[in-house]
């Protein structure tokens, strides 16, 4: 939302932080199609592009977690 607010020269007050997950069966992690997604998420180009957007943080982008780990 911050990116959209900045685009229209609006003030923005962050109220909370949201985390988004791409969920899959662990067996898919070895699938070439999913490997390509992880490679893209971890690429320096993708990370730099997202980091340039106000309000986004790529610290954990591309990190593979078990469900239990994600909600500690």
């Amino acid at each position: 939302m911050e990116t959209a607010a900045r685009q229209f020269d609006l003030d923005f007050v962050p109220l909370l932080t949201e985390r988004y997950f791409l969920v899959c069966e662990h067996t898919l992690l070895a699938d070439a199609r999913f490997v390509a997604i992880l490679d893209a998420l971890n690429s320096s180009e993708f990370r730099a592009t997202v980091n340039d957007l106000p309000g986004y943080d790529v610290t954990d982008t591309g990190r593979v977690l078990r469900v239990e780990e994600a909600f500690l």
Side-chain angles (χ1 to χ4, degrees), residues 25-47:
E25 288 285 332
H26 73 281
T27 55
L28 287 177
L29 293 174
D31 184 296
R33 295 168 294 180
F34 204 82
V35 169
I37 292 170
L38 285 175
D39 287 346
L41 291 172
N42 286 303
S43 72
S44 58
E45 297 86 3
F46 178 82
R47 296 173 77 79

Side-chain angles (χ1 to χ4, degrees), residues 1-11:
M1 299 302 304
E2 183 176 353
T3 299
R6 301 281 184 238
Q7 179 180 358
F8 294 102
D9 198 29
L10 301 171
D11 290 333

Side-chain angles (χ1 to χ4, degrees), residues 41-42 46-47 50 57-63:
L41 291 172
N42 286 303
F46 178 82
R47 296 173 77 79
V50 174
D57 177 7
V58 295
T59 301
D60 290 325
T61 301
R63 186 169 165 216

